[in-house]
Structures are given as C-alpha cells and as structure tokens.
Amino acid sequence: MRRTWRLIARTIAGAAAGLVPVAPGAAQTPRQVRYELSFPDAAHHQARVVATWRGVPAGPLRVQMARSSPGRYALHEFGKNVYAVTATDGAGRPLPLTRTDPYGWSVAGHDGTVVLRYTLFGNRGDGTYAQVDATHAHLNPPATLMWASGFDAAPATVRIVAPDPSWTIATQLPAIAGQPGTFAAPDLQYLMDSPLEAARLDVREWTVGEGKDRQTIRIAAHHPGTAATVDRLAAQVRQLLPQHARVFGEWPRFDHGSYTFLADYMPQISGDGMEHRDSTVVTMPVPLDGTNAAPLDTIAHEFFHAWNVERLRPRELEPFDFTRANATPSLWFAEGFTSYYGPLLLRRAGLTDDDTWAESVAGALNLVLLSPARRSGGPQEMSLRAPFADAATSVDPVGPDIYLSYYPYGEIVALALDLSIRQRFPGRSLDDYMRHLWRTHGRAERPYTPDDLRRALAETTGDAAFTDAFFTASVVGSGLPDFAPLLAQAGFVLRPAAPTHGWVGAGKARTTSGGVVLAAAPTAGSPLDAAGLDAGDRIIAVDGMPIAAPADWDGALARLTPGATVTLRWSRFGTEQQRVVRAVADPRLEIVRIEATGERPTRRQLAFRNNWFKG
C-alpha cells in the first residue's frame, strides 16, 4: 500500500536470491523472515510470537516494533504492548538482548540466525491495532510483528496457529500450498500492509471483470448474526462496487487476483475502516441489521481507496516509513475526495436516495463552513497537520481554531469542484478528472505531487486559469464558492436548517462531579464565545432556572429564538459569573430537493441531477 509494488510480481524465491555475508565461519544464506503466531491465552488478549531471521549479516541485529501504520499518519508506539522478549541463535543458544530505546532491541552473538520470542497484548479491534480474544485474532502487522533493519526486501512467511479448529484465516497475503495457515509476503512493505483475521468466518465471494481481467471480491465476516444477514450485505456490496469501477473506467489489478473485506461486526470491536493494497478492514460494534447503512458507507469509502491512495498515490508516502509519522499535503484529495465519492456512489448504485445524500453532504458542509479553523489554513495545510490528529493521542487538548479534518474539508472541496466543472465545462465532471489522474498516475503507479494534481485539472478542463484560481482559493487557501447556485443546477435548495431557532454557539454539556459543564468551547464568534465562556465552565442557571443535568441545558437551548436574550450564570475556577446573552439565527444549513419547497424542478435541473447521480 505504501510504495510502488513493482516487486509484487516476483516470486518468493526470486526475492531471496541475493546472498549476503553472515557471521564469521557461516555459509552464505539468503535473507529470509518467518513468523509463527499462537494464542495460548487468548482469553486474556495475549498472542505468542516467534520471529526468525535467517541470513543475518555479521554484527548485532536491530529488531523493533513499528511506530506508525499504513493508512494512519500519526505515531502509535506499538512497542508498548510487547513484553517477555527472549532471543536464541539457530542452534537454540540464548542470545543477549540490549535495549537502548523504547522501540526495539539489539541482538548480538548470533550464528547468522536470530529467533526472537515475545508476548503481545492486543485488545483494540480496529484498523490500526490488534485484538486477541476467545472469538478471534484481529491482527494489524505493524501492531503485531517485529521487523529487523536490513531485511526490508527479504521475503517473509506468516503462520497462524489458531486455538480453535473451526477458525479460518482471511488476508490479502497469498496462502502457501501444502502449509495450512501459512502465508507469504514478498517484502516488508507488503507484509506490513496485510492485516489478518482469524475467526469463525462467514465468507461470500463473487467475480468481477471478464476473461483475463476476471478477479474475485470476497467478504470475510466475523459476526454474531445469521447467514442471511451476510447474504444481504454481500448483495448490496455487489450492487455498489461496479460504480467505483465506472468512475475510473476499469477495475484495478489486484496483485493476487482477489480483494478481501475483513469485516468485524462484534460488540468488542471499535468502529473503523482502513484501506490496504488488496483488502480493507471494516469494523463496527453493532450487528448487521439488513439496511446496513453504516457498513455500506464505510465500504463505499474504503473500496474507492483501491484506486485513490493505493495505486493513485501521493509521492510523500512512498515508501511508508514505520519509524516516524508519515505526512503529505495531499490528504484533502486522497481522503477528502474519497469521502465525497462514498455517498455519491451509494446514490448512483440505488442504495440510498436523494434526500439521504443531501443530508450527508449538508452535515459535512456545516462542519466546514462553521469551523473557525478555516481561518488558519486551507486543505493542504490541514493535510499536513494529520500526524497531530489522525487517531493521535495527546494529553493536552487541541484548540478549535487549529484543525479542521481533511476528510470533510476535502469532501466539500470535491463538491465545489465537481459542480463548478459541470457548470463551466458542459459534458465534463469530477469523474473525468479522476479518470485522467488514474490514466496518468494510478494505472502506472507513478506517484503524484501537488503540482501534478493541479496540472491534471488543467488538462481535464483545458482551462489553466480556472485551475490556478481554484487551487489558489480553495486548496492552498481556505476560500469556498457560493454553493447555492451550484446546487441549484441540480434542483437542490440550500437554506437555513432551523430559521426560527435561536443559536448561541454552544454544543453539548456533560455531567461531572462538580455539576454540568460545557463539553467543548463555544463556536468562535458566537454569542457564548463573545460572552467569554469556555469548555469546562460549569453552567449554574439559565434565566434563573437551575441546570442540574445535561437535559436541562439542552432544553434551554431548544427554547431559544433569534433575538431572544437569556441570563446565564456559570462558574469557572470556583468564581461565579453572570452575563446576558442574545441569541442569533441558527447558522446551520440544509440541502433539500426543490420539490420539498413546493416548487417543481425544471427539465434542465432534472437532467443535471440525473446525469450527476447516475454517473
């Protein structure tokens, strides 16, 4: 996932062909890596890992856990979950381990082979970490496997010893014939990009493409429901995925002829979606319900990455560096445009309707338009702040003026660009831009730069001035166009969502031992912000009515009308304060079909909408 995959086609034997000098007196041996994972105490979330490196050059071998994971852009320090580490040589003799930093060890005195044994604790099931319990082993390799310096190009095998004979294993790694539970990777990059799920799996598969282009799509579901629920999900996904291929004009070439969704719908799982080269992790702590709106939303997004990010890739992520945070200024495109296409392709597939699409896009639009962080940077700048925000954990809070997620930010930029292209260049759309980038960079896996994205738009539209203006205003800068006339082309109306509701800029409150406090800072520039309130302030009363629970605060806010004044009494650091606050009109917007306003769309508007939503 995180590099050009020209090495994928070579055989495992070919990958190991280079001979290297090893310890004095030892014969030359190809560099090879082998992992064996067992689960002697799965009930307590433990895995036992045996890692073997052969063909080790003379001198100490550096082994370590990754600090970052493909698809994530922040540090995660996976070494914190590894303990009981021991080492032996090829003859089984104990070897000394030296630890000089938190991430790894140095192993000296070997005979050209190093065998490392360690215990891994894993109890977070998502796209980044590992989870082991009595029902499954959900394994992200960077969170699971130690790796050795100098063995990046060495082939590796992974053997999973399942604690339950009814468990099967799903992964994008090809199985090794005649070796049950054993899989091969050509090098470290592909290995680290290949999650594994061992459990009692419910598998559905079908083919896409024709003739020599025929490939297999597979859903491997770990879930508590019936077979019928997986049948329903598979039918919906089968209906959805061809829309992805229509955008780019073809299916990507999966390295081993198949693509696998590793789907966990278990109560102990954390909700997530994480793309990989030839697979995707999709996790949700609720069972499939037949409608499957949330699972399908994740699947629509992640499968778009099989083109955008996995093969159509930012140059800065090539290759992926497991020792540091990986950043690129192009996440507004890689993730944001993918976020735009997810709901759109669900609509094109007939799995949602116009109103569902409009509600989804309006949510992202409000988030972006009302964010004070837009004043501090455009989409490129927010992309570069990903290492501080992408599932990163910090003790200190992040100020609301600092960061706006590149997911909704890029989604709204994509909406603006798609509608602007359709308005100014009849017969063209964002689909043409994506298809052009696929032909020039994705299919050949030639990584792009920000300038390449700009150049491709100029080539798609034939208008360099339009391209330069758009990038300057809305990619480098934080400007956005007026969406009302753009949406009106398709017979959608952008209007206030609650014109009779008053707004003071506050969000939810929460209960603490000291009372009811604001859970977040008021929106910058709002009446509460101007009054000086902040996150953590304890709300005592509104117009003399005590606030004893979050529901009391919610009720007080719900009764506001534009122009109404309320007297707020609150406490900060033990000091009570009081202010009179005047509510303003609720700034939130909604997108509705013109039919919902009592008017009829024109024939031209219906044609535009039909072309947009059918692709």
Side-chain angles (χ1 to χ4, degrees):
M1 171 180 184
R2 303 302 156 191
R3 51 171 284 191
T4 302
W5 295 94
R6 297 185 179 92
L7 301 180
I8 294 300
R10 70 186 182 184
T11 64
I12 296 298
L19 300 180
V20 297
V22 296
Q28 287 185 322
T29 306
R31 293 189 184 187
Q32 299 172 343
V33 187
R34 177 176 175 83
Y35 299 94
E36 181 172 297
L37 287 78
S38 58
F39 310 94
D41 194 4
H44 294 101
H45 316 295
Q46 294 180 6
R48 190 63 178 164
V49 183
V50 181
T52 304
W53 291 272
R54 301 188 187 280
V56 181
L61 178 69
R62 162 75 175 182
V63 296
Q64 69 183 74
M65 290 295 291
R67 303 185 65 203
S68 55
S69 180
R72 289 291 186 209
Y73 307 103
L75 292 175
H76 294 285
E77 308 298 12
F78 299 115
K80 71 181 186 298
N81 288 325
V82 168
Y83 63 104
V85 183
T86 62
T88 61
D89 64 12
R93 292 183 291 265
L95 295 174
L97 284 166
T98 302
R99 191 171 193 178
T100 58
D101 60 61
Y103 318 115
W105 294 259
S106 179
V107 188
H110 56 79
D111 58 358
T113 295
V114 171
V115 182
L116 205 70
R117 293 174 174 84
Y118 60 93
T119 298
L120 172 79
F121 176 86
N123 193 25
R124 182 175 174 87
D126 62 7
T128 306
Y129 295 96
Q131 184 173 67
V132 176
D133 59 39
T135 72
H136 73 156
H138 177 93
L139 306 171
N140 182 36
T144 306
L145 304 177
M146 284 198 197
W147 53 280
S149 299
F151 279 74
D152 294 42
T157 61
V158 180
R159 180 176 178 238
I160 305 293
V161 182
D164 186 328
S166 68
W167 287 15
T168 54
I169 303 164
T171 178
Q172 69 182 26
L173 294 171
I176 298 179
Q179 299 184 42
T182 307
F183 304 87
D187 54 26
L188 179 69
Q189 289 280 327
Y190 196 81
L191 173 67
M192 290 298 217
D193 191 47
S194 301
L196 301 97
E197 175 75 20
R200 191 173 298 163
L201 298 173
D202 209 348
V203 179
R204 302 291 183 275
E205 61 181 41
W206 63 94
T207 59
V208 297
E210 300 294 335
K212 64 181 178 59
D213 295 324
R214 185 181 295 269
Q215 303 181 95
T216 298
I217 304 292
R218 180 181 302 111
I219 296 176
H222 179 216
H223 70 113
T226 66
T229 61
V230 181
D231 290 338
R232 172 63 175 158
L233 177 66
Q236 293 167 321
V237 175
R238 190 168 184 172
Q239 182 178 338
L240 168 66
L241 300 192
Q243 297 299 327
H244 294 68
R246 286 185 63 194
V247 171
F248 293 97
E250 63 187 12
W251 298 90
R253 296 297 303 170
F254 305 127
D255 296 310
H256 305 289
S258 66
Y259 187 96
T260 303
F261 291 98
L262 307 176
D264 262 294
Y265 303 114
M266 298 294 289
Q268 72 270 34
I269 278 290
S270 301
D272 200 3
M274 180 55 64
E275 76 280 1
H276 296 275
R277 174 74 177 183
D278 299 307
S279 65
T280 279
V281 170
V282 285
T283 59
M284 194 164 298
V286 294
L288 299 170
D289 62 7
T291 60
N292 302 327
L296 287 171
D297 182 69
T298 302
I299 287 169
H301 178 102
E302 301 303 336
F303 193 64
F304 200 81
H305 280 315
W307 291 265
N308 190 26
V309 162
E310 292 301 334
R311 292 160 176 85
L312 179 57
R313 297 182 42 69
R315 180 169 292 175
E316 296 84 5
L317 300 183
E318 180 125 351
F320 194 86
D321 187 340
F322 302 105
T323 68
R324 62 172 179 85
N326 290 252
T328 170
S330 299
L331 289 180
W332 62 271
F333 174 80
E335 292 288 359
F337 276 42
T338 299
S339 293
Y340 171 72
Y341 270 103
L344 181 59
L345 297 185
L346 285 167
R347 177 65 194 93
R348 288 180 180 177
L351 292 167
T352 59
D353 57 22
D354 293 356
D355 296 334
T356 302
W357 173 88
E359 183 179 0
S360 172
V361 173
L365 185 61
N366 280 314
L367 185 61
V368 172
L369 293 181
L370 296 178
S371 172
R374 275 184 60 214
R375 298 177 302 190
S376 65
Q380 278 194 168
E381 171 65 22
M382 296 305 167
S383 296
L384 288 172
R385 297 183 188 182
F388 311 130
D390 181 47
T393 55
S394 300
V395 175
D396 61 320
V398 176
D401 297 338
I402 295 174
Y403 177 70
L404 169 60
S405 171
Y406 45 83
Y407 283 90
Y409 208 163
E411 178 182 352
I412 296 310
V413 169
L415 173 68
L417 183 56
D418 196 3
L419 292 177
S420 296
I421 292 174
R422 291 172 185 271
Q423 180 185 61
R424 296 173 61 103
F425 309 100
R428 294 195 176 276
S429 71
L430 195 67
D431 292 1
D432 295 291
Y433 179 51
M434 301 304 294
R435 200 170 296 126
H436 180 73
L437 280 165
W438 173 252
R439 289 194 301 262
T440 55
H441 291 272
R443 186 188 293 156
E445 303 202 37
R446 184 167 64 89
Y448 63 79
T449 66
D451 283 344
D452 291 325
L453 295 178
R454 182 190 293 256
R455 187 178 304 109
L457 182 59
E459 292 168 351
T460 300
T461 62
D463 192 330
F466 165 78
T467 296
D468 289 343
F470 186 87
F471 267 74
T472 299
S474 300
V475 176
V476 178
S478 58
L480 290 171
D482 182 354
F483 282 96
L486 291 176
L487 289 163
Q489 298 175 96
F492 284 100
V493 176
L494 182 65
R495 67 184 187 185
T500 63
H501 180 252
W503 181 81
V504 291
K508 294 293 183 181
R510 59 185 176 87
T511 301
T512 69
S513 59
V516 178
V517 304
L518 289 180
T523 302
S526 67
L528 281 191
D529 177 63
L533 277 82
D534 199 5
D537 286 346
R538 180 168 68 89
I539 307 300
I540 300 172
V542 177
D543 281 341
M545 298 296 294
I547 302 297
D552 298 333
W553 175 244
D554 293 341
L557 294 181
R559 292 188 291 270
L560 290 174
T561 57
T565 59
V566 292
T567 300
L568 295 179
R569 189 155 55 93
W570 78 95
S571 173
R572 180 184 300 169
F573 309 141
T575 301
E576 290 192 12
Q577 302 182 58
Q578 184 168 296
R579 294 285 191 281
V580 175
V581 176
R582 182 181 297 276
V584 298
D586 194 324
R588 290 172 297 180
L589 303 172
E590 66 178 359
I591 301 171
V592 298
R593 289 176 296 116
I594 195 172
E595 296 93 322
T597 69
E599 297 187 25
R600 297 180 61 181
T602 66
R603 190 172 300 175
R604 184 173 183 177
Q605 286 173 321
L606 287 176
F608 188 104
R609 187 190 302 175
N610 184 67
N611 180 268
W612 185 19
F613 284 168
K614 290 197 174 178

